[in-house]
Amino acid sequence: MFTFLNYYYLCPQLALGQGVRRLHVSAAFNAKAKVSMSRFEPSNFVNYEKLNENVNIVRKRLNRPLTLSEKIVYGHLDDPVGQDIARGRTYLRLRPDRVAMQDATAQMAMLQFISSGLPQVAVPSTIHCDHLIEAQIGGAKDLARAKDINAEVYNFLASAGAKYGVGFWKPGSGIIHQIILENYAYPGVLLIGTDSHTPNGGGLGSICIGVGGADAVDVMAGIPWELKCPNVIGVKLTGKLSGWTSPKDVILKVAGILTVKGGTGAIVEYHGPGVDSISCTGMATICNMGAEIGATTSVFPYNHRMKTYLEKTGRGDIAALADDYADLLVPDVGCEYDSMVEINLDELKPHINGPFTPDLAHPMADIGATAVKNGWPLEVKVGLIGSCTNSSYEDMGRSASVAKQALDKGLKCKAAFTITPGSEQIRATIERDGYSKILGDVGGMVLANACGPCIGQWDRRDVKKGEKNTIVTSYNRNFTARNDANPATHAFVASPEIVTALAIAGTLDFNPEVDYLTAANGEKFKLKPPSADELPKLDFDPGQDTYQHPPAEGGSKLRVDVSPTSTRLQLLEPFDKWAGGDLEDLQILIKVKGKCTTDHISAAGPWLKFRGHLDNISNNMLIGAVNIENDGVNKIKNQLTGDYGGVPDVARHYKVSSVSLRFRPFYHFVQEGLISIRHSLKHLAINANGLSWVVVGDDNYGEGSSREHAALEPRHLGGRCIIVKSFARIHDDKISIKGLATFAPGKVIVKHSDGTKDEFQLNHTFNETQIEWFQAGSALNRMKELQ
């Protein structure tokens, strides 16, 4: 079914239909009318001419064909003539077209932008209120409760958006990635978003990359954005999807092949004749869950499925322009990939992945026996469909197709069943077209247009904490306790239609391809493969108007107030500068054992409400990490008192003065057997009034969401560095980091309690610009110095 080849692989001809030729920009193209990037920003235009100009410069410099992702990324270089370009090695300085922020991360991003002193954002930007709505009793009531509980945060984001020129999507609008697909993504755009599943936009031929809020502020402030030049993994699709097999099964299979680390540092580029059998929203599903293999992003080439989606969502003018530049929006003939995965869609079977990790892939035919062998509960307690990964019109239609067959036989779901529409437009359209009624009649409850249980915003009450149980979802992530905060919940990921079938059957070992259900009259019957329209025959129903435009006259006269007594929001103070010396005698706070994701470092769920208050959210720092000293969670030794306490409590005791700093959210890797630090702390500085400390971690530290709080919190509480590579227990040791004056790769000195010392070579990934940020204390500080 597939092969994985660890060498450069030549990509075949890819084209939009037949007869696409190498594009030569002509006067006819230059004469075309300008096309707006979105209906919300009529004065910002799609600029394929500039993209094409840059691509031609780079192609001549490199003297080779380019992949699609290279075209889009290199086409947005700040300096296409002088930029050093080497896959996997050099850092690129890019000019993204736009920024999108979800409400949890937008709080810190806007607080940081306010501290920059700039009057307006430099690129089109939007805020989307989707993370703070908890699922409890149903969409309308849950939304009303969220608006009340989060009023302070929503008011802050709305007023900050108005003042600084940022579009504001109100709570109830939908999930950020679905809103982007419907309104802002288009072939060839470079978009960064403050959420790890931003790559969803790759289903529309976009390069959409998930980042932390600090990166978004760089772009909004007009600073070139830095990205390590990605490798490119090719995924060649042949054959055609059919029957119960869905686009979700493509990425479930790929996750099983590449694992959660296999895409790290790379863009996954899908191509091949099988692409045309996948809808635009299906491609988005595949790209969305590419975050689960660690990929920078994923992308599909422009084709007629994308064109149709653009036209159906009111962007026919962009589709027409993309047609003219079609050769720019597919790979060059003869381009090379760093590695290749091949999947024959004719042979691909429905999959279900889990539990506890999204790369544990099982064909549906095997899951029953595997569950029995491993002691996984067979009873399905809850089936949950929707989310940013699978909430399209087609997804809802295919699920309704399955549900209708059960209803016709007098059956309802044996498991609890929830439906999360991806956007207000999807909610209104599936309600108009009858899908919502079918899904409700079979036993489903429609939740708010928001993230909900997918990110842990779920007030689940049907099982007790610690009770072993199974749920199945069409979501993307199924880490331990991710959905319901219960570490005993076995969460499995599948397509919406498979989830619906399992909710009806009520058991994990039901395979709809071969197994029978019993109708109300005792008749045995099989479910037929689902079928549904890719897009509504009628136009989409937009539903309620939930968008707030920034004022046309600008926001210079507007105020953004943050109460000094607020528990939800906190203005940031300027970051302290580097004191000019090395880091001496740093205390080791904790040595983390095993997997340490951003959920371990900065938990979500109930902590989301503090995302705009750095001091309060720092109370969750590393509370989920396992201490290698005692295998305890949130239990470390205070080296000053000898007592054991929680990680943030001990860190606060070490820290005497109040400091804050801005960081990148992802940092630390191991290279060539040496300890390598990539500043979880974007800027190091000495806290002269307290005991500074470091964290020692294991492999793949920081896996998970693009959560800058996982880096902000350690620095706020006195941390100076995250070092990742396993070595012996060193909690009583002190660490010094040398060579900061020259900032060449230096060394770390470990002073043991018996007076002996060890030295280790350190690498770093700071470039010249980042060193300037370090010396100034932050990128924003450096920007102020240059104004």
Side-chain angles (χ1 to χ4, degrees), residues 107-131:
Q107 296 170 62
M108 190 58 66
M110 292 309 298
L111 287 166
Q112 290 179 90
F113 187 82
I114 289 170
S115 71
S116 75
L118 295 172
Q120 291 272 293
V121 293
V123 300
S125 303
T126 50
I127 294 170
H128 305 259
C129 294
D130 61 358
H131 270 54

Side-chain angles (χ1 to χ4, degrees), residues 448-711:
N449 313 323
C451 299
C454 185
I455 61 164
Q457 285 283 49
W458 184 16
D459 184 17
R460 188 181 181 192
R461 300 180 180 181
D462 64 303
V463 297
K464 296 179 180 179
K465 187 68 65 69
E467 181 181 341
K468 194 174 178 181
N469 73 101
T470 285
I471 65 173
V472 290
T473 83
S474 69
Y475 302 162
N476 40 49
R477 217 160 257 172
N478 60 344
F479 299 145
T480 301
R482 166 79 176 186
N483 303 122
D484 62 0
N486 181 3
T489 293
H490 291 56
F492 295 85
V493 177
S495 67
E497 50 265 48
I498 290 292
V499 171
T500 304
L502 293 177
I504 292 167
T507 181
L508 191 64
D509 59 357
F510 176 73
N511 180 3
E513 287 194 306
V514 298
D515 293 336
Y516 287 79
L517 294 170
T518 302
N521 63 3
E523 171 193 355
K524 299 287 187 180
F525 74 100
K526 276 177 60 176
L527 294 169
K528 297 177 182 178
S531 62
D533 292 331
E534 175 181 344
L535 295 164
K537 289 184 173 64
L538 302 174
D539 289 338
F540 278 106
D541 183 338
Q544 299 179 42
D545 183 4
T546 55
Y547 178 72
Q548 172 187 290
H549 289 268
E553 65 276 10
S556 60
K557 297 180 181 179
L558 301 177
R559 286 179 54 85
V560 179
D561 292 322
V562 175
S563 169
T565 61
S566 172
T567 62
R568 299 287 302 269
L569 299 164
Q570 180 185 48
L571 291 173
L572 298 176
E573 296 296 326
F575 309 141
D576 53 337
K577 287 188 176 184
W578 173 49
D582 291 334
L583 301 175
E584 301 281 357
D585 294 334
L586 304 176
Q587 181 64 55
I588 294 176
L589 180 71
I590 181 175
K591 184 181 178 189
V592 178
K593 179 180 179 180
K595 176 175 279 196
C596 191
T597 71
T598 49
D599 282 339
H600 295 88
I601 306 166
S602 176
W607 291 95
L608 285 173
K609 61 179 173 285
F610 297 125
R611 285 285 183 87
H613 197 293
L614 181 55
D615 194 56
N616 282 345
I617 199 171
S618 293
N619 290 321
N620 78 358
M621 184 191 74
L622 287 162
I623 62 174
V626 177
N627 181 7
I628 200 170
E629 178 191 19
N630 56 15
D631 283 333
V633 175
N634 200 29
K635 186 178 181 181
I636 63 172
K637 185 176 182 180
N638 186 323
Q639 299 298 329
L640 298 181
T641 67
D643 298 328
Y644 280 82
V647 180
D649 299 323
V650 174
R652 285 188 187 277
H653 188 257
Y654 288 166
K655 173 194 173 187
V656 176
S657 63
S658 176
V659 293
S660 63
L661 199 56
R662 171 175 177 264
F663 322 87
R664 298 281 185 190
F666 295 106
Y667 13 77
H668 14 247
F669 301 93
V670 177
Q671 297 176 344
E672 300 176 358
L674 301 177
I675 302 171
S676 171
I677 54 172
R678 184 186 174 194
H679 53 292
S680 73
L681 321 173
K682 183 175 179 182
H683 319 286
L684 304 175
I686 290 179
N687 177 3
N689 300 308
L691 177 61
S692 296
W693 48 263
V694 302
V695 169
V696 178
D698 208 334
D699 291 327
N700 213 35
Y701 181 100
E703 171 193 344
S705 301
S706 54
R707 191 169 299 157
E708 67 179 327
H709 298 79

Side-chain angles (χ1 to χ4, degrees), residues 11 13-14 20-23 50-56 58-59 62 64-77 87 94 188-190 205 207 232 267 269 299 325-333 335:
C11 72
Q13 170 74 46
L14 280 177
V20 173
R21 75 276 183 227
R22 174 58 55 87
L23 177 69
K50 180 63 176 177
L51 184 69
N52 188 76
E53 177 185 331
N54 286 359
V55 166
N56 285 335
V58 173
R59 187 188 286 117
L62 299 181
R64 62 171 175 81
L66 302 178
T67 70
L68 169 60
S69 53
E70 286 185 306
K71 287 183 178 181
I72 301 175
V73 172
Y74 302 163
H76 286 83
L77 286 170
R87 285 187 195 169
L94 302 169
V189 72
L190 176 61
I207 292 293
V232 188
I267 293 177
E269 189 170 309
V299 68
Y325 286 88
D327 197 59
L328 184 63
L329 305 173
V330 297
D332 286 343
V333 178
C335 68

Side-chain angles (χ1 to χ4, degrees), residues 337-355:
Y337 296 114
D338 295 285
S339 60
M340 176 73 77
V341 175
E342 296 189 20
I343 297 178
N344 184 343
L345 301 180
D346 289 333
E347 300 174 3
L348 183 64
K349 290 292 185 179
H351 273 61
I352 184 168
N353 286 23

